[in-house]
Amino acid sequence: MESPDWVPNGIDVTVPNAARMYDYALGGYHNFAVDREFVERAEKAIPGATLVAHMNRAFLGRAVRWLAGQGIRQFLDIGSGIPTLGNVHEIALAAAPDARVMYVDLDPVAVAHSRAILAGQPRVGVLEADVRKPQSITDHPDVTELLDFSEPVAVLLVAVLHFVPDDDDPAGILGWLRDAMVGGSYIVLSHGAPVPELGGEVDTLKKLYKQTPTPLHLRSSEQIAHLLSGLDVVEPGIVPISEWHPDPNDGDPAPHQALLAAAGRTR
């Protein structure tokens, strides 16, 4: 199978990928047939799954604007995915022209495309790295050159940690990131959660994700609270993404318990 010219060498276009599936769900075009087929199967298993992707993207925008309103000018977006409408740097720079943003992703397609469209942006950087090795991110010279960890930083972990199994110690990952930042910094996340009334459908979705390199690990609000240990969780707490600082201009979207959101402030 011949790959498009924007695909880095060595990418297996026959295996679905979380970043490319999210890109397709949001209406992007940096995805393959196998990614589109997966999203369509997921939508069939849980009608409205694609809507959750859009709600998650809207949450990201609200979170960045809220953080800018708290005085945050540095953003570390881990698991940033493939750039599409409403990128973090666009929102952050619109709210605060002196903001700086470092994108981090493990997917070479996401990184290659990010670097292509962000060339010439002095306040934005891109790094290929793994959230499971947080020290390799916070200590990377590209990161420390752009971001000053002696000043507050916001770490964004949006729809990322539910791809990290317990064996990879997600609480330890957040602990490292928390301790790498000064007081007044933030960790913001959204995370897939079990929905008892959708038991069968969720089981089907988890079986689908087992066919990918990133199986799904859903966690309850109590488990997410444990991940945020050592942080002061800000209002409104751990809530469905549509309920986290909702924008009145968005109308009144129904709460979706399948994806929870929270922000924690360092002490």
Side-chain angles (χ1 to χ4, degrees), residues 129-160:
D130 191 336
V131 66
R132 295 171 297 179
K133 300 174 181 178
Q135 185 174 4
S136 71
I137 297 173
T138 57
D139 291 355
H140 196 281
D142 289 355
V143 175
T144 56
E145 182 179 354
L146 183 67
L147 304 181
D148 179 1
F149 282 90
S150 69
E151 297 291 335
V153 176
V155 174
L156 307 174
L157 294 163
V158 176
V160 173

Side-chain angles (χ1 to χ4, degrees), residues 66-181:
W66 183 86
L67 289 162
Q70 306 307 303
I72 296 296
R73 297 295 181 265
Q74 303 187 105
F75 298 84
L76 179 59
D77 185 4
I78 304 177
S80 51
I82 295 170
T84 186
L85 185 66
N87 294 309
V88 170
H89 73 279
E90 295 172 335
I91 298 168
L93 290 171
D98 57 338
R100 298 190 297 278
V101 178
M102 175 60 73
Y103 290 114
V104 181
D105 205 281
L106 184 60
D107 177 44
V109 171
V111 171
H113 192 54
S114 297
R115 286 176 174 157
I117 70 169
L118 296 172
Q121 287 267 13
R123 308 192 74 83
V124 187
V126 184
L127 175 67
E128 183 176 339
D130 191 336
V131 66
R132 295 171 297 179
K133 300 174 181 178
Q135 185 174 4
S136 71
I137 297 173
T138 57
D139 291 355
H140 196 281
D142 289 355
V143 175
T144 56
E145 182 179 354
L146 183 67
L147 304 181
D148 179 1
F149 282 90
S150 69
E151 297 291 335
V153 176
V155 174
L156 307 174
L157 294 163
V158 176
V160 173
L161 292 176
H162 49 230
F163 297 124
V164 178
D166 290 342
D167 289 347
D168 284 328
D169 191 16
I173 292 169
L174 263 70
W176 176 274
L177 294 169
R178 178 197 66 216
D179 294 343
M181 298 187 295

